Amino acid sequence: MPHLPNAVMWSIPAFVLLAVVEMVSYRFHPDDDAEGYAAKDAATSVTMGLGSLVFDLLWKIPIVAIYAAIYELTPLRVPVVWWTLPLMLLAQDFFYYWSHRGHHVIRILWACHVVHHSSRKFNFTTALRQPWTTWTVWPFYVPMIALGVHPAAVAFCSSVNLVYQFWIHTERIGTLPRPIEFLFNTPSHHRVHHASQGGYLDRNFGGILIVWDRLFGSFVPETERPVYGLTKNIDTYNPLRVATHEYAAIARDIAAARDWRERAGRVFRGPGWQPATVLEAGLPEAGSPKTGPDAGSPKTGPEAGRPEPVGESVR
């Protein structure tokens, strides 16, 4: 197994430099149609990114053990050579798409991923706003390990995917030439993903390639100006709250649930899921604002007419 670097760690100086350049660009060339930067928001995003590096080291211990066990059990082996690496990157990007999509439509997974969507800004520091509970991600890559891809190769591909996604968190780049926009995830596509408008919710899940969204029906082009953040924002810069607020909301919903079916739904259904009895009764919202694919700001497009949420989650 050749040594494969952690692309994220190697890219940190570039992340810092590009963020500074983007900040300066807004200072000298303001844009009234862009969200730009806010000091507290950027500081929170950077803190979340630094914290994720620490917590990821902790989560790696059990995850590496599980991956190593699966790798030892499978008789298959994929060599790490020049021609297999692009195929591994392609496979990892495919499974990333499903991981990302799953983290939007299953509430306990959304509790991890909501961190990345909690900023109302969209800039290079937003890319650094990473969750501290990434223990929910590893199952999606088990097929690669079972097919004989070394765990270190999966980790390398994941780091390359994450580095790629840094540059697409910006409003300074409009649309790119059509072939690039067709194949790759771009700032235009990712602005849609971070938007809170109903027609933009839960779209454009791709990491490096946007073709997965085109193939699986989750692609939406950028047509109107995005409004970033959650449909009901959490209004805090406290990193601990940013990291854990949805887990706390799930706990409150479970405590208030009427039976075990509802408890399971509060955890494993969509972030905006409500039991039929609640929807039929038209009960008022019971707790904190909601953060999920069915969240409740005014909706347009495909989301119009969807029932407004009643429970605790925030999108």
Side-chain angles (χ1 to χ4, degrees), residues 41-57:
D41 179 84
T44 300
S45 294
V46 171
T47 301
M48 297 305 299
L50 293 174
S52 74
L53 297 177
V54 176
F55 282 99
D56 282 352
L57 289 176

Side-chain angles (χ1 to χ4, degrees), residues 86 88-94 96-97 100 156-168 180-186 189-190 204-213:
M88 291 178 190
L89 285 166
L90 183 66
Q92 189 276 335
D93 197 53
F94 172 77
Y96 172 85
Y97 169 85
H100 196 180
F156 170 74
C157 292
S158 296
S159 69
V160 170
N161 198 309
L162 194 60
V163 168
Y164 176 89
Q165 291 187 59
F166 178 83
W167 77 277
I168 61 177
I180 296 175
E181 294 284 347
F182 183 82
L183 289 173
F184 294 98
N185 198 6
T186 65
H189 300 327
H190 207 57
N204 299 2
F205 299 109
I208 296 175
L209 300 176
I210 203 67
V211 291
W212 310 123
D213 291 279

Side-chain angles (χ1 to χ4, degrees), residues 281-304:
L283 296 177
E285 187 168 347
S288 66
K290 163 170 193 295
T291 357
D294 304 326
S297 63
K299 294 183 173 69
T300 58
E303 302 291 320

Side-chain angles (χ1 to χ4, degrees), residues 65-108:
I66 295 169
Y67 279 179
I70 296 171
Y71 187 73
E72 288 302 316
L73 288 172
T74 180
L76 304 174
R77 290 293 181 269
V78 177
V80 180
V81 293
W82 68 268
W83 63 271
T84 60
L85 270 177
L87 297 177
M88 291 178 190
L89 285 166
L90 183 66
Q92 189 276 335
D93 197 53
F94 172 77
F95 289 115
Y96 172 85
Y97 169 85
W98 289 108
S99 171
H100 196 180
R101 188 166 181 167
H103 278 72
H104 274 252
V105 299
I106 299 172
R107 190 179 180 193
I108 191 64

